[in-house]
Amino acid sequence: MNQELAIQTIQRKSLHLELVECLQRLIIGGDLAPGSKVPEKELCAQFGVSRTPLREALKVLASDGLIKLEPNRGAWVTLVTVSEVEEVFPVLGALEALSGELACKSISDDEITGVRALHEQMLHAYESRDLDSYFSINQKIHRAILLAARNDTLATSCQALSLRMQRARYLANMTEGRWHYAVQEHEKIMEYLADRNGKMLAETLLAHMDAKRLSVVQWLETQDRTADHT
Amino acid sequence: MNQELAIQTIQRKSLHLELVECLQRLIIGGDLAPGSKVPEKELCAQFGVSRTPLREALKVLASDGLIKLEPNRGAWVTLVTVSEVEEVFPVLGALEALSGELACKSISDDEITGVRALHEQMLHAYESRDLDSYFSINQKIHRAILLAARNDTLATSCQALSLRMQRARYLANMTEGRWHYAVQEHEKIMEYLADRNGKMLAETLLAHMDAKRLSVVQWLETQDRTADHT
DNA sequence: TGACTAAATTATGAATTCAAAATTACGTTG
DNA sequence: CAACGTAATTTTGAATTCATAATTTAGTCA
């Protein structure tokens, strides 16, 4: 009926949802540092909103584990602890493995071409040791596989856990050795995806996550040790 | 210092969290039927709270997928659709499989005894064809395995997805044949858990979830067909 | 009667207000 | 001057208020 009129259904999303996304960005970008207090008043002023929608957003973020609400004491950005990392990565591994398996069943040739393009870009980023680009493209690859799995529930769950692991830039202990190894893992991921070999892709993604877990844990332990000596 | 004084730290949880739990119960209990509108005003009156904390709870439930917020039109209990079931069960399967694997690594002898007791109870419920008890004990078993996995993140994720699949009582198509088969599956689950055979337990739980998925989908399709004929 | 329009009503989204709790500032005393 | 206790201030949690959007009702005209 209104096919040509409905060029775009301007779905003005609710204020609290926009705030959820803004705050997520602030948290994973490190503008709101792990362990720090969420400055409610300041954020209201900054975004030009009242406390009501901001507080709604905080409840949602708390249920996602990005912040912690202390009764009568306010909201705090959660810390990335070793025990949390040891918890989250296995779950993320299982979910990514599933996403690989499902993706192999549904991914189109065009999508594989797209992932390959990203993969090449990532190799360039690696060669020029551009960590920021590397991270960003890396994420896009994982996201592309996730989308190819055609399972929104899976995507949402993965996304939520992934965010929790991205709370701080420094989370990756990208030594030259680890980085090289990660790139090799991605070569395999690319290969198995192109072959639509679900079993092997799942296995590789699981191993990839476990290696990442180890790398992050080691990094955190170095950090802790450093902190102790102050 | 205050070891004997701190008999219980009365952690008065915030109002919105209590409401989240109440609403979850109302939804999975069917008091708020799938597809129906969430009666904001009524619930406020019923719980004796203002709209602010109730609406905070609604945002959280929406992010969990139990309700859907339509801008300017209010909150609606989400429907359990075939496509959602087809999405959620594979994810739940992967998570339960992981929980089985982890549980086998950490579960204590006492816990196994506890699960066995529940298992026996469940068999009794099956023999007397007490579906309500059966369901309830069944859940406790899965929950016990989940707890034995010692991974709160995993438990929370599982719990959230599990709730979404419990929105309606009628979700299980418990024909005599299916029921019998489910009990057999549980026998295997019990056996592998007692043997601490993580690999096989994971495999069995995955298959268990898949069988459940099929059963639920079949039931939903019957329902749809019935609805069409009205 | 049935379709359309306009007014009245209601529900929603978000700002504001208010009471209670926590924190800070301040003054007192040993 | 340090430790404690009290008052002032700020922050938080939740109720209330208010503007706007959606729905319902009433009324008009074909």
Side-chain angles (χ1 to χ4, degrees):
Chain A
M1 190 192 269
N2 56 349
Q3 268 190 333
E4 51 284 281
L5 278 173
I7 292 159
Q8 55 175 137
T9 314
I10 305 165
Q11 266 296 18
R12 167 110 176 70
K13 64 180 70 172
S14 61
L15 200 44
H16 91 278
L17 256 185
E18 291 198 50
L19 289 172
V20 164
E21 286 166 21
C22 284
L23 291 172
Q24 277 178 345
R25 273 195 297 274
L26 287 180
I27 292 170
I28 67 174
D31 301 290
L32 291 173
S36 70
K37 177 147 200 212
V38 179
E40 200 175 288
K41 213 172 172 182
E42 228 173 274
L43 291 169
C44 285
Q46 187 175 326
F47 293 125
V49 299
S50 75
R51 285 174 62 217
T52 307
L54 187 83
R55 286 168 57 81
E56 287 169 349
L58 292 179
K59 314 287 184 203
V60 173
L61 291 171
S63 97
D64 288 346
L66 280 180
I67 66 172
K68 187 170 165 22
L69 299 172
E70 292 191 21
N72 292 318
R73 301 214 40 249
W76 304 75
V77 181
T78 47
L79 285 165
V80 187
T81 64
V82 169
S83 69
E84 191 197 5
V85 169
E86 295 280 13
E87 273 199 357
V88 173
F89 272 100
V91 182
L92 208 42
L95 295 180
E96 288 247 353
L98 177 61
S99 90
E101 228 174 290
L102 295 177
C104 284
K105 287 185 190 158
S106 314
I107 197 167
S108 70
D109 291 343
D110 282 358
E111 283 174 309
I112 290 179
T113 308
V115 176
R116 197 184 294 284
L118 287 169
H119 183 69
E120 299 300 330
Q121 278 179 258
M122 195 182 74
L123 292 184
H124 287 310
Y126 170 58
E127 276 153 26
S128 50
R129 298 297 183 277
D130 181 347
L131 196 57
D132 278 349
S133 291
Y134 179 84
F135 270 136
S136 148
I137 301 166
N138 190 324
Q139 292 235 66
K140 282 184 190 162
I141 291 172
H142 285 277
R143 182 122 205 92
I145 295 174
L146 205 51
L147 287 179
R150 319 279 188 247
N151 186 321
D152 282 346
T153 303
L154 177 58
T156 305
S157 303
C158 257
Q159 179 72 7
L161 293 177
S162 194
L163 278 181
R164 279 173 64 184
M165 293 295 95
Q166 284 169 43
R167 256 165 300 171
R169 264 284 170 250
Y170 58 75
L171 267 185
N173 183 20
M174 277 305 195
T175 60
E176 182 56 40
R178 165 64 195 142
W179 200 351
H180 178 69
Y181 189 67
V183 169
Q184 282 187 316
E185 287 175 319
H186 264 271
E187 290 284 3
K188 288 212 284 181
I189 289 168
M190 190 63 242
E191 183 190 329
Y192 290 131
L193 182 67
D195 291 350
R196 294 188 170 82
N197 185 339
K199 265 276 173 300
M200 289 308 293
L201 180 57
E203 203 173 288
T204 309
L205 283 167
L206 190 59
H208 185 57
M209 280 293 126
D210 200 54
K212 201 163 169 187
R213 173 193 61 78
L214 193 62
S215 155
V216 171
V217 165
Q218 284 177 347
W219 180 247
L220 283 179
E221 280 172 351
T222 339
Q223 294 294 101
D224 285 354
R225 217 165 303 130
T226 310
D228 282 350
H229 288 295
T230 53
Chain B
M1 191 191 271
N2 56 349
Q3 268 189 336
E4 51 282 283
L5 278 172
I7 293 159
Q8 54 176 143
T9 313
I10 304 165
Q11 264 298 15
R12 166 108 177 71
K13 64 181 72 173
S14 62
L15 199 43
H16 92 275
L17 256 185
E18 290 199 49
L19 289 172
V20 164
E21 286 167 21
C22 284
L23 292 172
Q24 278 177 345
R25 274 196 296 275
L26 288 180
I27 291 170
I28 68 175
D31 301 290
L32 290 173
S36 70
K37 176 145 200 214
V38 180
E40 200 177 287
K41 214 172 171 182
E42 228 173 90
L43 291 169
C44 285
Q46 187 174 325
F47 293 124
V49 300
S50 75
R51 285 173 63 218
T52 306
L54 186 83
R55 288 168 56 81
E56 286 170 349
L58 292 179
K59 313 291 182 202
V60 172
L61 291 170
S63 97
D64 287 345
L66 280 180
I67 66 171
K68 186 170 164 23
L69 299 172
E70 293 191 22
N72 292 318
R73 299 210 47 247
W76 304 76
V77 181
T78 47
L79 285 165
V80 187
T81 63
V82 170
S83 68
E84 192 196 6
V85 170
E86 295 281 13
E87 272 198 358
V88 174
F89 272 101
V91 181
L92 209 41
L95 295 180
E96 289 247 354
L98 177 61
S99 90
E101 228 174 289
L102 295 177
C104 285
K105 288 185 191 159
S106 315
I107 197 166
S108 69
D109 290 344
D110 281 358
E111 284 174 307
I112 290 179
T113 308
V115 176
R116 198 184 294 284
L118 287 169
H119 183 68
E120 298 300 329
Q121 277 180 257
M122 194 182 76
L123 292 183
H124 287 309
Y126 170 58
E127 276 153 27
S128 49
R129 298 298 184 275
D130 181 346
L131 196 56
D132 277 350
S133 292
Y134 178 85
F135 269 136
S136 147
I137 302 165
N138 189 325
Q139 291 234 68
K140 281 184 191 162
I141 291 172
H142 284 277
R143 183 123 204 91
I145 296 174
L146 205 51
L147 287 179
R150 319 276 189 249
N151 186 321
D152 282 345
T153 303
L154 178 58
T156 305
S157 303
C158 258
Q159 177 73 6
L161 293 177
S162 193
L163 278 180
R164 280 172 63 182
M165 293 296 95
Q166 284 170 42
R167 255 164 303 172
R169 264 284 172 250
Y170 56 75
L171 267 185
N173 184 22
M174 277 305 194
T175 60
E176 183 55 41
R178 164 66 195 141
W179 200 351
H180 178 68
Y181 189 66
V183 169
Q184 282 188 315
E185 288 175 319
H186 264 271
E187 290 285 3
K188 287 213 285 182
I189 289 169
M190 189 63 241
E191 181 189 331
Y192 291 130
L193 182 66
D195 291 350
R196 295 188 170 80
N197 186 339
K199 264 276 172 298
M200 289 308 294
L201 179 56
E203 203 174 288
T204 310
L205 283 167
L206 189 59
H208 185 57
M209 281 293 127
D210 200 54
K212 200 164 172 186
R213 173 193 61 78
L214 193 62
S215 155
V216 170
V217 165
Q218 284 176 348
W219 179 248
L220 283 179
E221 280 172 351
T222 339
Q223 294 293 101
D224 286 352
R225 217 165 301 128
T226 311
D228 284 347
H229 288 295
T230 53

